[in-house]
Amino acid sequence: MHPAILWRPVKNLDIQCEACSHFCYLKEGEKGKCGVRINQKGRLYTLVKDKIAALNLDPVEKKPLFHFLPGSKTLSLATMGCNFACIFCQNHSLSQPPKKDGTILGENISADSILQLAKEEGALSVSYTYSEPTIFIELVLEVSRKAQVEGIKNILVTNGYQSPKALEELGPYIQAANVDLKSFAECFYREYCQASLKTVLNNLEHMKKLGWWLEITTLVITELNDSPQELKNIARYIQNYLGKETPWHISRYHPSYKLNNPPTPLSTLEKAYEIGKEVGLDYVYLGNVPGHMSESTYCPACGKVVIARRGFTLLEINLKEGKCAFCDYKIAGDFSNLN
Ligand code: SF4
């Protein structure tokens, strides 16, 4: 158990956690909705700072980030726990046990050891991913500060439910984020995630102002968020508030955790892809559909393939200093590793 940041005393021994936008009000001995932050004698503690439950080397494309150091490796880490309880969670064995039965597994691995491993493996970044990094923000800050000194970049893969103060804390150390935009309906967020769409939208705009490179992911779930109108609303929001150069990853759902709706048909995903392009987004990708043409990056100006991919593997790169090799159009993102 380690002292946590981002909380305030309220009265007597009651406190409020300010790490995420649930702002849990905690009486003495209570844990927050995430199950990994606890009020002990009027002070907030984290139960996961020294409990790394997953540490893997991934292609950065797996986050997914397609416009950030493409083809590079990222050292991905997570603790258990999440501030959401999505009934379709694709990572529930990591995210949900702390709040269900208090299980918190993991190893104490120092920030120095993590960075040593990243360097040995040639990773250009560390990703805070798999579960929800906001609930282990103390670990994220410790590792990301040191990573920055070492010239290693930091990536957040998140549901976008931080508090504004948490975003300000993270701001200087994070260079890129993949953020879920799970739906464009408040009732979806309320019913399936016990959260609020408006907060996620505010945070996306906040992250943009912080200067992070953003890519957006929508898991398209059969019958829940797959209507053309809803997909159009998401695409329009990205274009109007984040910019048409912001990549949109449309990901295929498979039955998971408490939801047994059928897997998303390819036709629904292809319709979503068309919607994204019709609305005017420059970069739209389908995820979990290996071998599909939409895995590659096309130049918005001349239409030629600038990065050909299959799954997470790069097959061909036609970029020169971040510009299309055919027409010189600037492709949005960080391609500094290819120069
Ligand atoms: S991180 Fe969020 S869910 Fe967890 S205790 Fe704090 S406010 Fe509650």
Side-chain angles (χ1 to χ4, degrees), residues 209-324:
K209 283 195 190 118
L210 288 169
W212 299 357
W213 171 253
L214 289 182
E215 302 196 18
I216 307 300
T217 295
T218 302
L219 182 73
V220 177
I221 304 170
T222 315
E223 294 162 18
L224 294 195
N225 62 354
D226 59 352
S227 76
Q229 188 56 54
E230 177 153 13
L231 296 165
K232 193 177 284 183
N233 288 344
I234 293 174
R236 281 191 181 144
Y237 171 81
I238 294 172
Q239 188 189 39
N240 292 334
Y241 290 87
L242 306 177
K244 71 183 179 71
E245 71 286 357
T246 306
W248 185 29
H249 298 267
I250 299 160
S251 190
R252 184 179 217 171
Y253 151 88
H254 293 283
S256 184
Y257 196 35
K258 297 177 181 169
L259 193 67
N260 207 21
N261 291 19
T264 325
L266 181 58
S267 56
T268 305
L269 296 164
E270 287 178 331
K271 181 73 194 155
Y273 179 90
E274 269 171 41
I275 288 170
K277 297 303 283 181
E278 276 165 21
V279 162
L281 298 182
D282 283 343
Y283 309 106
V284 184
Y285 301 102
L286 296 189
N288 298 337
V289 191
H292 199 274
M293 52 71 72
S294 62
E295 289 181 315
S296 294
T297 302
Y298 298 86
C299 172
C302 72
K304 297 212 169 107
V305 175
V306 286
I307 303 179
R309 293 183 192 82
R310 188 180 170 90
F312 303 132
T313 307
L314 303 197
L315 304 176
E316 193 183 335
I317 299 170
N318 295 311
L319 279 172
K320 276 193 201 149
E321 296 180 345
K323 294 180 182 166
C324 171

Side-chain angles (χ1 to χ4, degrees), residues 187-202:
C187 58
F188 178 103
Y189 267 91
R190 207 168 39 242
E191 188 171 344
Y192 299 113
C193 312
Q194 285 94 56
S196 144
L197 167 66
K198 184 74 186 128
T199 301
V200 176
L201 300 182
N202 287 343

Side-chain angles (χ1 to χ4, degrees), residues 88-99:
F88 45 83
C89 182
Q90 313 269 305
N91 240 346
H92 59 95
S93 59
L94 198 59
S95 67
Q96 301 304 312
K99 67 183 95 171

Side-chain angles (χ1 to χ4, degrees), residues 88-161:
F88 45 83
C89 182
Q90 313 269 305
N91 240 346
H92 59 95
S93 59
L94 198 59
S95 67
Q96 301 304 312
K99 67 183 95 171
K100 279 204 316 209
D101 60 11
T103 301
I104 298 176
L105 304 174
E107 257 186 274
N108 188 8
I109 307 173
S110 72
D112 288 334
S113 303
I114 292 166
L115 293 170
Q116 185 61 33
L117 180 61
K119 282 192 276 185
E120 281 168 13
E121 296 291 347
L124 299 187
S125 60
V126 177
S127 291
Y128 311 92
T129 178
Y130 304 137
S131 54
E132 173 47 50
T134 311
I135 59 99
F136 59 89
I137 188 169
E138 293 80 8
L139 182 64
V140 176
L141 287 169
E142 184 175 306
V143 177
S144 62
R145 281 180 183 133
K146 290 194 171 195
Q148 189 146 319
V149 172
E150 301 281 348
I152 294 174
K153 295 187 177 173
N154 293 294
I155 294 169
L156 214 59
V157 181
T158 174
N159 58 27
Y161 214 63

Side-chain angles (χ1 to χ4, degrees), residues 17-24 26 31-37 44 82-83 134-135:
C17 178
E18 297 178 318
C20 91
S21 284
H22 286 311
F23 295 110
C24 295
L26 303 172
K31 290 179 191 166
K33 285 185 179 194
C34 54
V36 302
R37 299 169 80 78
L44 187 67
C82 185
N83 52 351
T134 311
I135 59 99

